[in-house]
Amino acid sequence: MYAELMKAATAIGIGVAFFSLLLSAMMDGTSPAAFINIPALMIIMGGTAGVTLASVGMQAMKRVPSLYKLVISAEPPDTRAQLDQLVSLADKARREGLLALDAILPEIEDDFTRTALQLVVDGTDPEMVHMILQAEIDGMAARHEAGASPFEKAGGFAPTMGIIGTVLGLVHVLQNLAAPSTLGPSISAAFIATLMGVGAANVVFLPIANRLKAISAEEIELRVMTLEGILSIQAGDNPRLVAEKLMSFLPPAARAEEENGAGAPAAPVSIDAKAA
Amino acid sequence: MYAELMKAATAIGIGVAFFSLLLSAMMDGTSPAAFINIPALMIIMGGTAGVTLASVGMQAMKRVPSLYKLVISAEPPDTRAQLDQLVSLADKARREGLLALDAILPEIEDDFTRTALQLVVDGTDPEMVHMILQAEIDGMAARHEAGASPFEKAGGFAPTMGIIGTVLGLVHVLQNLAAPSTLGPSISAAFIATLMGVGAANVVFLPIANRLKAISAEEIELRVMTLEGILSIQAGDNPRLVAEKLMSFLPPAARAEEENGAGAPAAPVSIDAKAA
Amino acid sequence: MYAELMKAATAIGIGVAFFSLLLSAMMDGTSPAAFINIPALMIIMGGTAGVTLASVGMQAMKRVPSLYKLVISAEPPDTRAQLDQLVSLADKARREGLLALDAILPEIEDDFTRTALQLVVDGTDPEMVHMILQAEIDGMAARHEAGASPFEKAGGFAPTMGIIGTVLGLVHVLQNLAAPSTLGPSISAAFIATLMGVGAANVVFLPIANRLKAISAEEIELRVMTLEGILSIQAGDNPRLVAEKLMSFLPPAARAEEENGAGAPAAPVSIDAKAA
Amino acid sequence: MYAELMKAATAIGIGVAFFSLLLSAMMDGTSPAAFINIPALMIIMGGTAGVTLASVGMQAMKRVPSLYKLVISAEPPDTRAQLDQLVSLADKARREGLLALDAILPEIEDDFTRTALQLVVDGTDPEMVHMILQAEIDGMAARHEAGASPFEKAGGFAPTMGIIGTVLGLVHVLQNLAAPSTLGPSISAAFIATLMGVGAANVVFLPIANRLKAISAEEIELRVMTLEGILSIQAGDNPRLVAEKLMSFLPPAARAEEENGAGAPAAPVSIDAKAA
Amino acid sequence: MYAELMKAATAIGIGVAFFSLLLSAMMDGTSPAAFINIPALMIIMGGTAGVTLASVGMQAMKRVPSLYKLVISAEPPDTRAQLDQLVSLADKARREGLLALDAILPEIEDDFTRTALQLVVDGTDPEMVHMILQAEIDGMAARHEAGASPFEKAGGFAPTMGIIGTVLGLVHVLQNLAAPSTLGPSISAAFIATLMGVGAANVVFLPIANRLKAISAEEIELRVMTLEGILSIQAGDNPRLVAEKLMSFLPPAARAEEENGAGAPAAPVSIDAKAA
């Protein structure tokens, strides 16, 4: 249940913000129906979608639905579990040799870790391993950035579309000042476009773009840690040193826990360390 | 047909946005004729063109029409085809030697790849090959940036020109408050300039600048991959390693396909790999 | 007492700003009760909290209360004391050898310094020491940045939420222009949302984000100095040179004092220097 | 004539923009005399000049007139001619030795190229040549940036001064609401300050700052190419390779022309290349 | 007298801007007394000071008065004199050896140059000299940046405080629409806060922040030149080469003068050069 809440943070946050706005409007006495304004909707949705498509191209747009899903259900990466796995691999490699890792390869779930270990087991030159894995991380970072781009562009264009919509409305109102009785509602309707544009950008597009970038940063961090670990394993570093190096990727609080949790398996490691 | 849609994304996007704005205005009851306002047009077009020309110089302005055409019809680069070509070149070079590539040179369509291979075949020092190709990529990146510059500048100046136009209009209206009957239409006309300036920037100039930068990024990525591949070929790397290295330029989805698709020709490569 | 004031600078600053705004409003004749507006509060608090949660995720939000406390009570790091400690360690290491530091380890309070010295005493390779400590500093910097992120995002979103609230209010007012007697108070109430959004961002969120970043910069600076010092100690540098190098981390004013203050213990250092 | 137009792009652009604004205002029916408003002029000119002087200091201000002149009459650098010269120098150096260049030194017009060749002829260490020339380029880049700074600052401050002027005017109007007949013209006059501030920034200061930066980028590019060429000449590189390397500084279109144009002198180069 | 004007550029600039605003307001017919508005003053001064203190901490605030003084009286650094001094030191070092510099040390006024030479005379390793001096420059740059920070933050917060003050005023006005006779003056008074906030930021805080950054850049440039010169002296470089290298820190105009001015002492240098 708690983990569910963690995963759904973005959906919950957007829901809370949307509900706050709606409730506040209703407390003012405005009926939600007043916000259903077809011309405004058309400008915000059609206009924003159009210029975003023009900005990022068709391919980036096609990834939008799957990114929506990712944002709503992404689990934070388990850095500690990955650290423990890398230290235990380092321990095994040091005791039984790098080739002993070949047998464990199929058990490793993460593609990046498995590919990296495969390279090590194949006896690839360490510098080449570094280059290939770094290129892989850079490629992922570039793809993530391209993925957040439609949301960022939409977040930038939507308020402007709202302003265009409102000015369009005001232009119409001002051309027909003769009927003062409809003046108020007409201006009011013109402002709906601004409301929608600013709302869509700030309640939907920008939070999602922010969240995608945060998820990307966490995943890159995890892979950089994995890269460091794999290179240490290939270099035959002492598992205790490997753990020390990788621990810098954990916040201090998580480290203490980690050390307690790893209390039992620490024994062979320290023996190894003495033997070194 | 589908590929056509991919290419025309920018044109379609701008069309959709423009049509949404127009339809929305007409649903409000404003006739399109109301937007034809010569003084506003003169400020937005003359003013924006003037300050953009002053900012970027005559040479950059002369490239604008061909860049418009490029944006509307650019095909996404076929990274996978290029990767396959580089791997097959690596395979040939490893089996028959670098000089064997000389015969294939005329068949290679892409100028950059052909020049790069020519350097390799000529026996140029690898570091020099790297330097020349990198300088070529940097030069292209600088030219692309200069190419997007007029659109970016115009996108920045157009809304300001719109505001200047509107303030000019309001100044005139306020000097003649005596005739309240024409007040509404006059203010309305003053706002047309803002509408045009913000619209031109957000529906035309900025999406095109964004698209040019995205196209440039894709092309640079392709050339960086080609550079990496050529250097690997010159170094006599194992084709399987070359493929592994270059694969980081593909999204994971495209890789799986690629590996299946390259199923048949993979055989000699893996033989080669064993022979190594 | 004075040190207390130093620590509480952020709390005092926010208090002064808040009190200035309140007093100014009361001098205008506005009763504070006029600012208690439930719909506005709901939009600013609910909306900002929601989109900030959506942007940064649940984990970052949970750290917010402890960061509030940190900002209000953070002491500036004592760079001079740390410099003196490092120079005296360098002195001891040079006279009695690196292993002599083992005995002092438990006396060192700062975790980072103790870990670093432990690595040196263990005979870890200098390059590895550098890498581990640098990774530790980078990790801390990344965690600090993530820590300031909710405050920065809230500082960016709150004014927009205020504008959304005000436009919502105006939309309602304009739909009911028939009752001109309540027009003034209604528009007035609509502006309370802008007031709260801009106020919360500029009086609370952004100053706290700024302060967190400044505290982080100071702490990173202290650790970089410690890293430089530890590496010099490991390299067996002359304590006078160590002092000279680390002194660049102090402002010139503090240096003079430092040299006077360290007048007495300077003697063995200079003897050491001659012996070198 | 055509070259004249190229040089005058900035003057023409500013003229076009200014004329468009003026014509548009006159079409609205506003007489140009309405824009002559002494208090507004005083704020925009005095205020902007004052804060710009305070920001950049007296020395930077003294360079402003000569920079105005530069912007209006700068010729685009002839990259192709410089490339041809460097290749022919490389050819001569390879055939007759570096010392043979001493005789041509007085014929070289460009100071930077001559100084660079002088260093080479003097037998300066290549790394030192690189360092001196790079420092020279960096110094020029820093001076250019400092040169554009007053225009950038003025472009940033002028609109704010305009807003201050308008608010000052409105404050005065609102204190004298009793005379509604002069209300319109008074508010109108208040807006002239905004008009002037935004206009001065966007029609004069920012385009000039942009142009100065573009001219600087072109000049730096030319010098970087020269630096590369000089180092190649010193290293005794094959002239064909020198041409290949430097060609990356030209757009592809200019290259083809260049190769045709250099058709005749290419012969000795390629002979040289075979002899190498 | 002229040098006095150079030094006082910031004070003069702020004075000119302030006087232009005041004169313009008085020409409009507004008496300066109208701008004395206690609630507005309280918000701008109390609010800006409070949030700036909260943002930068107590220590940074305490440096503000001395930075004000520095900005008003800073002399531009005499790069040419420093260059001449370094070249003459290089000349002396080359003719009489590095130890001969020991005798001149007390005559050198600049702390940085003296410390640097002391290191050289002490026979410190060149790489260590580079590291210590670079760290010193980096430390100074960081302190300067921290010094400009309160002015930058105040320049960012003051306009927002002005807007808060104006909205506070409007909220009060709108709650008391019943008295239309005081409407104008009340709204007018509300705008004074915006005027003060925008004015304080643009006429005082931002120009001072800009100036501090420009002064810092000049001082860093001078120290980087000194660092280059000292390292050349330590390496025993030919004084003519030292002059050539350092000259890139001067604008071309200043160089010609410098060469003429140094005409006489140039003789021993060139003799030295031949002897080398």
Side-chain angles (χ1 to χ4, degrees):
Chain A
M1 179 60 204
Y2 176 72
E4 290 301 305
L5 276 175
M6 292 289 287
K7 279 165 62 174
T10 308
I12 293 172
I14 290 180
V16 165
F18 187 78
F19 187 75
S20 304
L21 296 188
L22 202 69
L23 198 66
S24 165
M26 284 169 70
M27 283 169 72
D28 267 350
T30 315
S31 92
F35 299 112
I36 297 169
N37 179 310
I38 306 295
L41 259 178
M42 184 164 293
I43 281 189
I44 301 305
M45 294 186 59
T48 304
V51 296
T52 302
L53 168 62
S55 290
V56 302
M58 199 74 89
Q59 280 190 309
M61 288 302 268
K62 285 196 300 185
R63 280 195 296 265
V64 164
S66 62
L67 288 167
Y68 259 111
K69 224 157 63 187
L70 171 68
V71 152
I72 278 168
S73 67
E75 279 179 272
D78 192 344
T79 313
R80 269 185 56 200
Q82 177 73 348
L83 190 156
D84 290 348
Q85 185 181 43
L86 287 167
V87 171
S88 91
L89 287 168
D91 190 34
K92 188 175 185 68
R94 194 159 165 111
R95 274 187 289 129
E96 309 173 23
L98 283 174
L99 289 183
L101 299 177
D102 203 16
I104 330 181
L105 274 181
E107 295 169 24
I108 293 172
E109 280 177 38
D110 178 47
D111 280 352
F112 181 75
T113 316
R114 199 173 53 247
T115 310
L117 273 183
Q118 182 70 63
L119 286 168
V120 167
V121 168
D122 288 355
T124 316
D125 184 62
E127 219 170 298
M128 181 68 93
V129 172
H130 191 163
M131 246 172 69
I132 292 180
L133 297 183
Q134 188 62 55
E136 187 68 35
I137 295 175
D138 293 350
M140 190 184 74
R143 282 192 305 274
H144 285 178
E145 213 176 300
S149 174
F151 296 96
E152 277 196 309
K153 296 292 181 211
F157 281 123
T160 322
M161 289 297 148
I163 287 168
I164 291 180
T166 295
V167 176
L168 266 180
L170 292 179
V171 160
H172 183 239
V173 168
L174 288 161
Q175 283 173 332
N176 303 285
L177 277 186
S181 68
T182 64
L183 202 63
S186 296
I187 299 179
S188 172
F191 275 110
I192 299 285
T194 291
L195 209 55
M196 280 182 170
V198 176
N202 286 281
V203 175
V204 182
F205 298 137
L206 294 178
I208 286 182
N210 285 335
R211 192 75 198 112
L212 279 173
K213 282 190 275 184
I215 290 174
S216 168
E218 280 171 353
E219 216 167 310
I220 288 170
E221 188 81 352
L222 187 75
R223 292 211 168 173
V224 169
M225 186 186 84
T226 304
L227 164 56
E228 296 278 345
I230 294 288
L231 290 178
S232 279
I233 289 171
Q234 189 172 26
D237 280 350
N238 183 325
R240 214 180 47 164
L241 259 186
V242 174
E244 189 106 41
K245 220 201 272 184
L246 301 188
M247 217 100 77
S248 66
F249 288 90
L250 292 183
R255 274 178 231 181
E257 277 182 65
E258 202 273 332
E259 272 158 6
N260 295 345
V269 169
S270 58
I271 287 170
D272 229 3
K274 276 171 206 156
Chain B
M1 180 61 204
Y2 176 72
E4 289 301 306
L5 277 175
M6 292 288 289
K7 279 165 61 176
T10 308
I12 293 172
I14 290 180
V16 165
F18 187 78
F19 187 75
S20 303
L21 296 189
L22 202 70
L23 198 67
S24 165
M26 285 168 70
M27 282 170 73
D28 267 349
T30 314
S31 92
F35 298 112
I36 298 169
N37 180 309
I38 306 294
L41 259 178
M42 184 165 293
I43 281 190
I44 301 305
M45 295 185 60
T48 303
V51 295
T52 302
L53 168 62
S55 290
V56 302
M58 199 73 90
Q59 280 191 309
M61 287 302 267
K62 285 196 299 184
R63 280 195 297 265
V64 165
S66 62
L67 289 168
Y68 259 112
K69 225 157 62 188
L70 170 68
V71 153
I72 279 167
S73 67
E75 279 179 271
D78 192 344
T79 313
R80 269 185 56 200
Q82 178 71 349
L83 191 155
D84 290 347
Q85 185 182 43
L86 288 167
V87 171
S88 91
L89 286 168
D91 190 35
K92 188 176 185 70
R94 193 159 167 112
R95 273 187 289 129
E96 309 172 22
L98 283 174
L99 289 182
L101 300 177
D102 204 17
I104 331 182
L105 274 181
E107 295 168 24
I108 294 172
E109 280 177 37
D110 177 47
D111 280 353
F112 182 75
T113 315
R114 199 172 53 246
T115 310
L117 273 183
Q118 182 71 60
L119 286 169
V120 166
V121 168
D122 288 356
T124 317
D125 183 64
E127 218 169 299
M128 182 67 93
V129 172
H130 192 163
M131 245 171 69
I132 292 180
L133 297 183
Q134 188 62 55
E136 186 68 36
I137 295 175
D138 293 350
M140 189 184 75
R143 283 192 304 274
H144 285 178
E145 213 176 300
S149 174
F151 297 96
E152 277 196 310
K153 296 293 181 211
F157 282 123
T160 322
M161 290 297 148
I163 288 168
I164 291 180
T166 295
V167 176
L168 266 180
L170 292 179
V171 161
H172 182 241
V173 168
L174 288 161
Q175 282 172 332
N176 302 283
L177 277 186
S181 68
T182 64
L183 203 63
S186 296
I187 299 179
S188 171
F191 275 109
I192 299 285
T194 290
L195 209 55
M196 280 181 170
V198 176
N202 286 281
V203 176
V204 181
F205 298 137
L206 294 179
I208 286 181
N210 285 334
R211 192 76 197 109
L212 279 173
K213 282 190 274 184
I215 290 174
S216 169
E218 280 172 354
E219 216 167 309
I220 288 170
E221 189 81 352
L222 187 76
R223 293 212 168 172
V224 169
M225 185 186 83
T226 304
L227 165 56
E228 294 278 343
I230 294 289
L231 291 177
S232 279
I233 290 170
Q234 189 171 27
D237 279 352
N238 183 324
R240 215 181 46 165
L241 259 187
V242 174
E244 188 106 42
K245 219 201 276 186
L246 302 187
M247 217 101 76
S248 67
F249 288 90
L250 292 183
R255 273 178 232 181
E257 277 182 65
E258 203 274 331
E259 273 158 7
N260 295 346
V269 171
S270 58
I271 286 170
D272 230 2
K274 277 171 205 157
Chain C
M1 178 62 202
Y2 176 71
E4 288 301 307
L5 277 176
M6 292 288 289
K7 279 166 60 176
T10 308
I12 293 173
I14 291 180
V16 166
F18 187 78
F19 186 75
S20 303
L21 296 189
L22 202 69
L23 198 66
S24 166
M26 285 169 69
M27 282 169 73
D28 267 349
T30 315
S31 94
F35 298 112
I36 298 169
N37 180 310
I38 306 295
L41 260 178
M42 183 164 295
I43 281 190
I44 302 305
M45 294 186 59
T48 305
V51 295
T52 303
L53 168 62
S55 290
V56 302
M58 198 74 89
Q59 279 190 310
M61 288 302 268
K62 285 196 300 185
R63 280 195 296 266
V64 165
S66 63
L67 288 168
Y68 258 112
K69 223 157 62 188
L70 171 68
V71 153
I72 278 168
S73 66
E75 278 180 272
D78 192 344
T79 313
R80 269 185 56 200
Q82 177 72 348
L83 189 155
D84 290 347
Q85 186 181 40
L86 288 166
V87 171
S88 92
L89 286 169
D91 190 35
K92 188 175 184 71
R94 193 161 166 110
R95 273 188 289 131
E96 308 172 23
L98 284 174
L99 289 183
L101 299 177
D102 203 17
I104 330 182
L105 273 181
E107 295 170 25
I108 294 172
E109 280 177 38
D110 177 47
D111 281 352
F112 182 75
T113 316
R114 200 175 50 246
T115 310
L117 273 182
Q118 182 70 63
L119 285 169
V120 167
V121 168
D122 288 355
T124 316
D125 184 62
E127 220 170 295
M128 182 67 93
V129 172
H130 191 162
M131 246 172 67
I132 292 180
L133 297 183
Q134 188 62 55
E136 187 68 35
I137 295 175
D138 293 350
M140 189 183 74
R143 282 192 303 274
H144 285 179
E145 214 176 299
S149 174
F151 297 96
E152 277 196 309
K153 295 293 181 210
F157 282 122
T160 322
M161 289 297 147
I163 287 168
I164 291 179
T166 295
V167 176
L168 265 181
L170 292 178
V171 161
H172 182 240
V173 168
L174 288 161
Q175 282 173 331
N176 302 284
L177 279 184
S181 67
T182 64
L183 202 64
S186 296
I187 299 179
S188 172
F191 275 109
I192 299 285
T194 291
L195 209 55
M196 279 182 169
V198 176
N202 286 281
V203 176
V204 181
F205 298 136
L206 294 179
I208 286 181
N210 285 335
R211 192 72 199 115
L212 279 173
K213 282 190 274 184
I215 290 174
S216 169
E218 280 171 354
E219 215 167 312
I220 288 170
E221 189 81 353
L222 188 75
R223 293 213 168 172
V224 168
M225 186 187 84
T226 303
L227 165 56
E228 296 277 345
I230 294 289
L231 291 177
S232 279
I233 289 171
Q234 189 172 26
D237 279 351
N238 183 325
R240 213 179 49 165
L241 259 186
V242 175
E244 189 107 40
K245 220 201 274 184
L246 301 188
M247 216 100 76
S248 67
F249 289 91
L250 291 183
R255 274 178 229 181
E257 276 181 66
E258 201 275 331
E259 274 158 6
N260 295 344
V269 169
S270 59
I271 286 170
D272 229 4
K274 276 172 207 156
Chain D
M1 180 59 205
Y2 176 72
E4 290 301 306
L5 276 175
M6 292 288 289
K7 280 166 58 175
T10 308
I12 293 172
I14 290 180
V16 165
F18 187 78
F19 187 75
S20 302
L21 296 189
L22 202 69
L23 199 66
S24 165
M26 285 169 70
M27 283 169 73
D28 266 349
T30 314
S31 94
F35 299 111
I36 298 169
N37 180 310
I38 306 294
L41 259 178
M42 184 165 293
I43 280 190
I44 301 304
M45 295 185 59
T48 305
V51 295
T52 302
L53 168 63
S55 291
V56 302
M58 199 73 91
Q59 279 190 309
M61 288 303 267
K62 285 195 300 184
R63 279 194 297 265
V64 164
S66 62
L67 288 168
Y68 259 111
K69 225 158 62 188
L70 170 68
V71 153
I72 278 167
S73 67
E75 280 181 271
D78 192 345
T79 312
R80 269 185 56 200
Q82 178 70 349
L83 190 156
D84 290 347
Q85 186 182 42
L86 288 166
V87 172
S88 92
L89 287 168
D91 190 34
K92 189 175 184 71
R94 194 159 165 109
R95 273 186 289 129
E96 309 173 21
L98 283 174
L99 289 183
L101 300 176
D102 203 16
I104 332 181
L105 273 181
E107 296 169 24
I108 293 172
E109 281 177 38
D110 178 46
D111 281 352
F112 181 75
T113 316
R114 198 173 54 245
T115 310
L117 273 182
Q118 183 70 62
L119 286 169
V120 167
V121 168
D122 288 356
T124 316
D125 183 64
E127 219 170 298
M128 182 66 93
V129 172
H130 192 162
M131 247 172 67
I132 292 180
L133 297 183
Q134 188 62 54
E136 186 69 35
I137 294 175
D138 293 349
M140 189 184 74
R143 283 193 302 276
H144 285 178
E145 214 176 299
S149 173
F151 296 96
E152 276 196 311
K153 296 293 181 211
F157 281 122
T160 322
M161 290 296 148
I163 287 168
I164 291 180
T166 295
V167 176
L168 265 181
L170 292 179
V171 161
H172 182 240
V173 168
L174 288 161
Q175 282 173 332
N176 302 282
L177 278 185
S181 68
T182 64
L183 202 63
S186 296
I187 298 179
S188 171
F191 275 109
I192 299 286
T194 290
L195 209 56
M196 279 181 171
V198 176
N202 286 280
V203 176
V204 182
F205 298 136
L206 294 178
I208 286 181
N210 284 334
R211 192 74 198 110
L212 280 173
K213 282 190 275 185
I215 290 173
S216 169
E218 281 171 354
E219 216 167 310
I220 288 170
E221 188 81 351
L222 188 76
R223 293 211 168 172
V224 169
M225 185 186 84
T226 304
L227 165 56
E228 295 277 343
I230 295 289
L231 291 177
S232 279
I233 290 170
Q234 191 172 26
D237 279 352
N238 183 325
R240 216 181 46 165
L241 258 186
V242 174
E244 189 107 40
K245 218 201 276 184
L246 301 188
M247 217 100 77
S248 67
F249 288 92
L250 292 182
R255 274 178 231 180
E257 276 182 66
E258 203 273 332
E259 273 157 8
N260 295 345
V269 170
S270 59
I271 286 170
D272 230 2
K274 275 172 206 155
Chain E
M1 179 60 204
Y2 176 72
E4 288 302 306
L5 275 176
M6 293 287 288
K7 280 166 58 175
T10 309
I12 293 173
I14 290 180
V16 165
F18 187 77
F19 187 75
S20 303
L21 296 189
L22 202 69
L23 198 67
S24 165
M26 285 169 69
M27 282 170 73
D28 267 349
T30 314
S31 94
F35 299 112
I36 298 168
N37 180 310
I38 306 295
L41 260 177
M42 184 165 294
I43 281 190
I44 301 305
M45 294 186 59
T48 304
V51 295
T52 302
L53 169 62
S55 291
V56 303
M58 198 74 90
Q59 280 191 309
M61 288 302 268
K62 285 195 299 185
R63 279 194 297 266
V64 164
S66 62
L67 288 168
Y68 258 112
K69 225 158 61 188
L70 170 68
V71 152
I72 278 168
S73 66
E75 279 180 271
D78 193 344
T79 312
R80 269 184 56 201
Q82 177 71 350
L83 190 156
D84 290 348
Q85 187 181 40
L86 288 166
V87 171
S88 92
L89 287 168
D91 190 34
K92 188 174 184 72
R94 194 159 165 109
R95 274 187 289 130
E96 308 173 21
L98 284 173
L99 289 182
L101 300 177
D102 203 16
I104 330 181
L105 273 181
E107 296 169 24
I108 294 173
E109 279 177 39
D110 178 46
D111 281 351
F112 181 76
T113 317
R114 200 174 51 248
T115 309
L117 273 182
Q118 183 69 64
L119 287 168
V120 167
V121 168
D122 289 356
T124 316
D125 183 63
E127 219 171 297
M128 182 66 94
V129 172
H130 191 161
M131 247 172 66
I132 292 180
L133 297 183
Q134 188 62 54
E136 186 67 36
I137 295 175
D138 293 350
M140 189 183 75
R143 282 193 303 275
H144 285 178
E145 214 177 298
S149 173
F151 297 96
E152 276 197 310
K153 296 292 181 212
F157 281 122
T160 323
M161 289 297 148
I163 288 168
I164 291 180
T166 295
V167 176
L168 265 181
L170 291 179
V171 161
H172 182 240
V173 168
L174 289 161
Q175 281 174 332
N176 303 284
L177 278 185
S181 67
T182 64
L183 202 63
S186 295
I187 298 178
S188 171
F191 275 109
I192 299 286
T194 291
L195 210 54
M196 279 182 170
V198 176
N202 286 280
V203 176
V204 182
F205 298 136
L206 294 178
I208 287 181
N210 285 335
R211 192 74 198 112
L212 279 173
K213 281 189 274 183
I215 291 173
S216 169
E218 280 171 354
E219 216 167 311
I220 288 170
E221 188 82 352
L222 188 75
R223 293 213 168 172
V224 169
M225 185 186 84
T226 305
L227 164 56
E228 295 276 344
I230 294 289
L231 290 177
S232 279
I233 291 170
Q234 190 172 25
D237 279 352
N238 182 325
R240 214 180 47 164
L241 259 186
V242 174
E244 190 106 41
K245 219 201 276 184
L246 301 188
M247 217 100 76
S248 67
F249 289 91
L250 291 183
R255 275 179 230 181
E257 276 182 66
E258 203 274 332
E259 273 157 6
N260 295 347
V269 170
S270 58
I271 287 170
D272 229 3
K274 275 170 206 158

